[in-house]
Amino acid sequence: AMKAMKRPAAENQDDRSCYTSGEVAKCVGVGKQTLARWEKQKAAGATRYQDFPVPGRLAHSNHRIYTNEDIERLLEWKNSTILTTGPGV
C-alpha cells in the first residue's frame, strides 16, 4: 500500500508549480543530502537510478527545482526501489 503523499506547503497549491530540494526531501521523507546523492548516482549512470527524475535548475542560481510531476515520479521510484532492493538506497 502506497503512503499518501503530503505535498510541500504553499499558500495556494494551485499556483505552485516548483519546489526546492529541501521541500521535496521533506515531502519524500529523506534528507537533502540523500536527494543530492541519488541525483549524482543517476548522473553517473547507475542502473538502479535509471527511472529517477532529473530536476530542473534555476537559471540565475543553479538551484535544483522540482515539479509536481517530478515529486510523483520520485515517490514512485523510491517506493519501487525500496520494495525491490531494500531501504539502503
Side-chain angles (χ1 to χ4, degrees), residues 68-79:
N68 287 316
E69 182 180 315
D70 291 334
I71 295 170
E72 289 172 16
R73 288 183 56 215
L74 179 55
L75 284 167
E76 287 173 12
W77 174 84
K78 179 185 172 211
N79 290 331

Side-chain angles (χ1 to χ4, degrees), residues 7 13 15 17 37 39 44 46 60 73 78:
R7 290 267 183 226
Q13 200 66 46
D15 291 344
S17 60
R37 185 172 56 251
E39 290 173 24
H60 66 280
R73 288 183 56 215
K78 179 185 172 211

